[in-house]
Amino acid sequence: MKKSIAIALTIVVATALAVSLAAADNGAEVIVINQVQKKFPPVSFKHHAHQNLEGVQCADCHHTAKAGEAVKACSSCHGQGNGAPEYKTAMHKSCQGCHKKMATAGKSVPTKCTGCHQKDLAAR
């Protein structure tokens, strides 16, 4: 009887842990980046899709985030005249740099402006 209770309790704890990990806040599924558009439409950034890419770590983009802290918006540092690169420069350097590496590795990713800045996507 004690063995059955121990097994049942282990299953309950394991299930609760799995559910809590699955429900962890991974941010918005899609983030519309529209802070500095002048020439091209905003970017509909598929946040969850990028999180699931092999080799991509949260810290690749969220480079100032500390474990357990809420992630700050990029614009909270970039574009504030505090020595951090301007917002547009930081986004392009990060996004374009990663896309160019992936394209060089044979992955099919957008590498031109209109590959990410799409009117039909930004409206979503």
Tab-separated table of all heavy atoms in Angstrom, residues 64-89:
chain	number	residue	atom	x	y	z
A	64	THR	N	20.936	41.037	-22.114
A	64	THR	CA	21.091	41.652	-20.790
A	64	THR	C	20.209	40.989	-19.735
A	64	THR	O	20.259	41.374	-18.574
A	64	THR	CB	20.745	43.155	-20.823
A	64	THR	OG1	19.381	43.310	-21.195
A	64	THR	CG2	21.659	43.903	-21.794
A	65	ALA	N	19.411	40.000	-20.140
A	65	ALA	CA	18.479	39.365	-19.209
A	65	ALA	C	19.220	38.519	-18.181
A	65	ALA	O	20.160	37.807	-18.510
A	65	ALA	CB	17.484	38.501	-19.972
A	66	LYS	N	18.804	38.629	-16.964
A	66	LYS	CA	19.340	37.819	-15.868
A	66	LYS	C	18.321	36.727	-15.545
A	66	LYS	O	17.113	36.936	-15.683
A	66	LYS	CB	19.561	38.683	-14.620
A	66	LYS	CG	20.403	39.919	-14.844
A	66	LYS	CD	21.872	39.609	-14.717
A	66	LYS	CE	22.735	40.842	-14.741
A	66	LYS	NZ	22.973	41.434	-16.028
A	67	ALA	N	18.788	35.576	-15.124
A	67	ALA	CA	17.897	34.458	-14.792
A	67	ALA	C	16.851	34.895	-13.773
A	67	ALA	O	17.174	35.522	-12.771
A	67	ALA	CB	18.701	33.282	-14.256
A	68	GLY	N	15.597	34.600	-14.075
A	68	GLY	CA	14.515	34.910	-13.159
A	68	GLY	C	13.934	36.301	-13.301
A	68	GLY	O	12.910	36.606	-12.711
A	69	GLU	N	14.581	37.158	-14.084
A	69	GLU	CA	14.074	38.519	-14.290
A	69	GLU	C	13.170	38.570	-15.517
A	69	GLU	O	13.345	37.795	-16.453
A	69	GLU	CB	15.222	39.497	-14.543
A	69	GLU	CG	16.034	39.858	-13.346
A	69	GLU	CD	17.104	40.895	-13.679
A	69	GLU	OE1	17.315	41.232	-14.860
A	69	GLU	OE2	17.730	41.359	-12.735
A	70	ALA	N	12.243	39.500	-15.502
A	70	ALA	CA	11.412	39.726	-16.685
A	70	ALA	C	12.297	40.320	-17.784
A	70	ALA	O	13.195	41.115	-17.508
A	70	ALA	CB	10.276	40.681	-16.353
A	71	VAL	N	12.050	39.919	-19.006
A	71	VAL	CA	12.817	40.416	-20.142
A	71	VAL	C	12.334	41.822	-20.471
A	71	VAL	O	11.141	42.083	-20.544
A	71	VAL	CB	12.640	39.487	-21.361
A	71	VAL	CG1	13.316	40.063	-22.584
A	71	VAL	CG2	13.193	38.108	-21.054
A	72	LYS	N	13.280	42.735	-20.655
A	72	LYS	CA	12.948	44.120	-20.993
A	72	LYS	C	12.852	44.272	-22.505
A	72	LYS	O	13.487	43.532	-23.250
A	72	LYS	CB	14.041	45.060	-20.476
A	72	LYS	CG	14.181	45.078	-18.979
A	72	LYS	CD	15.348	45.954	-18.572
A	72	LYS	CE	15.627	45.819	-17.086
A	72	LYS	NZ	16.866	46.490	-16.710
A	73	ALA	N	12.093	45.246	-22.934
A	73	ALA	CA	12.009	45.560	-24.359
A	73	ALA	C	13.369	46.057	-24.836
A	73	ALA	O	14.087	46.745	-24.099
A	73	ALA	CB	10.961	46.638	-24.591
A	74	CYS	N	13.732	45.712	-26.063
A	74	CYS	CA	15.010	46.156	-26.624
A	74	CYS	C	15.129	47.675	-26.560
A	74	CYS	O	16.196	48.213	-26.275
A	74	CYS	CB	15.131	45.690	-28.076
A	74	CYS	SG	15.029	43.905	-28.275
A	75	SER	N	14.009	48.349	-26.815
A	75	SER	CA	14.011	49.812	-26.842
A	75	SER	C	14.219	50.433	-25.464
A	75	SER	O	14.428	51.637	-25.358
A	75	SER	CB	12.704	50.329	-27.450
A	75	SER	OG	11.603	49.860	-26.698
A	76	SER	N	14.207	49.624	-24.406
A	76	SER	CA	14.470	50.190	-23.086
A	76	SER	C	15.939	50.583	-22.937
A	76	SER	O	16.276	51.411	-22.100
A	76	SER	CB	14.051	49.221	-21.975
A	76	SER	OG	14.895	48.098	-21.951
A	77	CYS	N	16.810	50.019	-23.757
A	77	CYS	CA	18.227	50.403	-23.767
A	77	CYS	C	18.615	51.013	-25.119
A	77	CYS	O	19.208	52.084	-25.173
A	77	CYS	CB	19.126	49.197	-23.507
A	77	CYS	SG	18.998	48.519	-21.851
A	78	HIS	N	18.270	50.305	-26.203
A	78	HIS	CA	18.658	50.758	-27.543
A	78	HIS	C	17.848	51.981	-27.935
A	78	HIS	O	16.630	51.990	-27.853
A	78	HIS	CB	18.472	49.619	-28.555
A	78	HIS	CG	19.394	48.463	-28.303
A	78	HIS	ND1	20.730	48.510	-28.622
A	78	HIS	CD2	19.163	47.260	-27.717
A	78	HIS	CE1	21.284	47.362	-28.261
A	78	HIS	NE2	20.368	46.590	-27.708
A	79	GLY	N	18.578	53.023	-28.346
A	79	GLY	CA	17.925	54.263	-28.754
A	79	GLY	C	17.741	55.242	-27.622
A	79	GLY	O	17.054	56.245	-27.772
A	80	GLN	N	18.353	54.981	-26.489
A	80	GLN	CA	18.189	55.850	-25.330
A	80	GLN	C	19.397	56.745	-25.076
A	80	GLN	O	19.475	57.391	-24.045
A	80	GLN	CB	17.893	55.006	-24.080
A	80	GLN	CG	16.648	54.163	-24.188
A	80	GLN	CD	15.408	54.989	-24.481
A	80	GLN	OE1	15.173	56.020	-23.874
A	80	GLN	NE2	14.613	54.535	-25.421
A	81	GLY	N	20.365	56.738	-25.985
A	81	GLY	CA	21.535	57.594	-25.828
A	81	GLY	C	22.433	57.183	-24.675
A	81	GLY	O	23.121	58.008	-24.087
A	82	ASN	N	22.448	55.901	-24.380
A	82	ASN	CA	23.228	55.405	-23.241
A	82	ASN	C	24.443	54.589	-23.660
A	82	ASN	O	24.983	53.833	-22.877
A	82	ASN	CB	22.323	54.547	-22.344
A	82	ASN	CG	21.700	53.397	-23.109
A	82	ASN	OD1	21.967	53.215	-24.291
A	82	ASN	ND2	20.863	52.647	-22.456
A	83	GLY	N	24.856	54.742	-24.898
A	83	GLY	CA	26.010	53.999	-25.385
A	83	GLY	C	25.634	52.719	-26.113
A	83	GLY	O	26.457	52.164	-26.829
A	84	ALA	N	24.407	52.240	-25.930
A	84	ALA	CA	23.941	51.064	-26.665
A	84	ALA	C	23.659	51.493	-28.102
A	84	ALA	O	23.251	52.633	-28.335
A	84	ALA	CB	22.674	50.497	-26.020
A	85	PRO	N	23.869	50.608	-29.062
A	85	PRO	CA	23.566	50.980	-30.453
A	85	PRO	C	22.108	51.410	-30.596
A	85	PRO	O	21.245	50.959	-29.837
A	85	PRO	CB	23.814	49.691	-31.236
A	85	PRO	CG	24.675	48.856	-30.359
A	85	PRO	CD	24.355	49.245	-28.950
A	86	GLU	N	21.841	52.272	-31.556
A	86	GLU	CA	20.467	52.681	-31.831
A	86	GLU	C	19.628	51.443	-32.123
A	86	GLU	O	20.143	50.424	-32.570
A	86	GLU	CB	20.427	53.650	-33.010
A	86	GLU	CG	20.973	55.020	-32.682
A	86	GLU	CD	20.178	55.725	-31.589
A	86	GLU	OE1	18.942	55.760	-31.662
A	86	GLU	OE2	20.819	56.231	-30.655
A	87	TYR	N	18.339	51.547	-31.902
A	87	TYR	CA	17.417	50.410	-32.019
A	87	TYR	C	17.514	49.735	-33.386
A	87	TYR	O	17.722	48.529	-33.491
A	87	TYR	CB	15.990	50.897	-31.756
A	87	TYR	CG	14.991	49.785	-31.684
A	87	TYR	CD1	14.779	49.100	-30.500
A	87	TYR	CD2	14.260	49.406	-32.793
A	87	TYR	CE1	13.864	48.069	-30.422
A	87	TYR	CE2	13.346	48.384	-32.726
A	87	TYR	CZ	13.155	47.708	-31.544
A	87	TYR	OH	12.256	46.690	-31.483
A	88	LYS	N	17.369	50.512	-34.445
A	88	LYS	CA	17.392	49.951	-35.801
A	88	LYS	C	18.722	49.266	-36.071
A	88	LYS	O	18.761	48.160	-36.617
A	88	LYS	CB	17.139	51.065	-36.826
A	88	LYS	CG	17.160	50.597	-38.256
A	88	LYS	CD	16.899	51.772	-39.192
A	88	LYS	CE	17.033	51.369	-40.635
A	88	LYS	NZ	16.820	52.515	-41.534
A	89	THR	N	19.812	49.882	-35.675
A	89	THR	CA	21.144	49.304	-35.884
A	89	THR	C	21.272	47.977	-35.141
A	89	THR	O	21.771	46.996	-35.695
A	89	THR	CB	22.236	50.287	-35.395
A	89	THR	OG1	22.092	51.514	-36.110
A	89	THR	CG2	23.623	49.730	-35.592
